Amino acid sequence: MTQTFNSPDKQLGGVTYGGYSDSIVVDERFVLRVPSNLDLAGAAPLLCAGITTYSPMRHWGVTKGKKVGVVGLGGLGHMGVKFARAFDAHVVVFTTSPNKKEDALRLGADEVVVSRNADEMQKHTGSFDFILDTISADHDINAYLNLLTHDGNITLVGAPAKPLDISAFSLIMARRSLSGSMIGGIAETQEMLDFCGKHNITADVEVIPIQKVNEAYERLLKSDVKYRFCIDMASLKSA
C-alpha cells in the first residue's frame, strides 16, 4: 500500500508528500472508477467514510428485513444511514443529541433513539441484527451489545482513545459478537462506488476553499460540519 502522505513511493522512489497535487502517478491496479452520475465533491469522502461503513455492512449481511442500528450521526454515521437505507434494512439512529432527529430522518432513518433516554433504549433490547458504532468518544458499549438479537453483531468503526469496558455476559447470553473494521480493499471499494452510482449515494459535504482550512478545522473540533468538508482544489492556485 502506498499512502498519499509520508509513505514510501514504490512508483517514483522517495516518499509521498500529500494529497493536494494536480496529478499523481499510480499503478493501474489501484485506480478506481467513479460513476459519472456522482458529484465529485460528494464522492470524494466515499473513499474513506463510504467504504468504512459499507464494508462491515456487506460483511455482516445487511439486507432487506434486517434491523440495523447506527450509533452516532457524524461523518461516518450519516453514510451508515444512507447505506443501510439503500440495503432496504430497517434503520435506527442512536444519538445523544435530540436536535439531530430531523436530519437522521432526512438521511433515511426509520427511527431515532436518544441514547441518554433509558426507556427508549429498553424498548429495543434484543432486537438488532447489526449495529454500526461510529463513536470515537468514550461510551458504554454494553448498552448497545444488549440491544443485539441472537447472533447479532456490533462493529466498531469509531476509535475511542480509552479501552472499552466489555461485560462478558453481554456477549455470551445470546452468542453476540463484537468486531472492528477499517476501510476496505480495492475490489470492495469499486463495488461500493458502483453501488453508490446505482443508488445515487454521495456524502453530504460543505465545499470550502483552501484559504478556509484553518477555520474548517476549528469548526470540526466543535462538530460544526454536516457532514464532511471538501476542499476545492482550484483554490490552491490563488493560495
Side-chain angles (χ1 to χ4, degrees):
M1 179 174 67
T2 301
Q3 301 184 72
T4 55
F5 51 90
N6 201 29
S7 177
D9 190 333
K10 297 177 178 63
Q11 301 300 315
L12 302 177
V15 296
T16 56
Y17 290 109
Y20 302 129
S21 303
D22 289 327
S23 60
I24 184 172
V25 178
V26 297
D27 187 296
E28 64 183 18
R29 293 174 299 170
F30 300 97
V31 174
L32 293 163
R33 180 185 63 258
V34 178
S36 60
N37 62 305
L38 299 183
D39 171 68
L40 288 180
L46 297 179
L47 302 179
C48 185
I51 186 59
T52 296
T53 51
Y54 177 88
S55 181
M57 288 191 182
R58 287 283 285 133
H59 179 78
W60 291 101
V62 172
T63 55
K64 183 177 182 179
K66 299 288 186 179
K67 186 175 180 180
V68 173
V70 177
V71 185
L73 193 67
L76 291 174
H78 95 288
M79 289 305 309
V81 173
K82 291 187 178 189
F83 283 133
R85 164 56 56 202
F87 283 129
D88 210 13
H90 182 86
V91 189
V92 181
V93 168
F94 294 91
T95 178
T96 58
S97 305
N99 60 1
K100 288 189 175 182
K101 180 175 181 178
E102 183 177 343
D103 224 25
L105 296 173
R106 175 186 65 82
L107 291 165
D110 295 290
E111 301 178 60
V112 181
V113 173
V114 178
S115 55
R116 291 195 176 103
N117 187 316
D119 290 335
E120 288 188 40
M121 294 287 283
Q122 180 66 30
K123 292 177 184 178
H124 292 276
T125 298
S127 65
F128 283 86
D129 299 289
F130 176 78
I131 296 176
L132 185 74
D133 187 342
T134 73
I135 302 299
S136 293
D138 187 31
H139 61 291
D140 181 11
I141 192 67
N142 298 295
Y144 297 101
L145 283 169
N146 291 330
L147 300 183
L148 294 173
T149 187
H150 192 272
D151 282 333
N153 169 266
I154 182 168
T155 294
L156 302 179
V157 291
K162 297 180 181 179
L164 296 173
D165 186 12
I166 300 168
S167 167
F169 285 98
S170 295
L171 293 172
I172 66 178
M173 292 303 291
R175 202 167 63 187
R176 300 163 175 143
S177 63
L178 172 66
S179 61
S181 185
M182 179 178 171
I183 60 172
I186 292 296
E188 189 173 45
T189 302
Q190 186 61 65
E191 176 189 308
M192 179 273 303
L193 286 171
D194 293 340
F195 182 85
C196 288
K198 179 180 179 181
H199 295 275
N200 201 29
I201 295 173
T202 55
D204 284 22
V205 298
E206 181 178 338
V207 180
I208 63 167
I210 191 67
Q211 292 82 3
K212 291 189 176 182
V213 69
N214 290 332
E215 177 187 328
Y217 181 72
E218 292 300 320
R219 287 178 55 194
L220 187 65
L221 295 177
K222 300 174 184 177
S223 298
D224 180 26
V225 54
K226 291 184 178 180
Y227 283 92
R228 279 287 192 258
F229 285 121
C230 186
I231 298 171
D232 180 0
M233 299 300 289
S235 65
L236 282 168
K237 296 177 182 179
S238 58

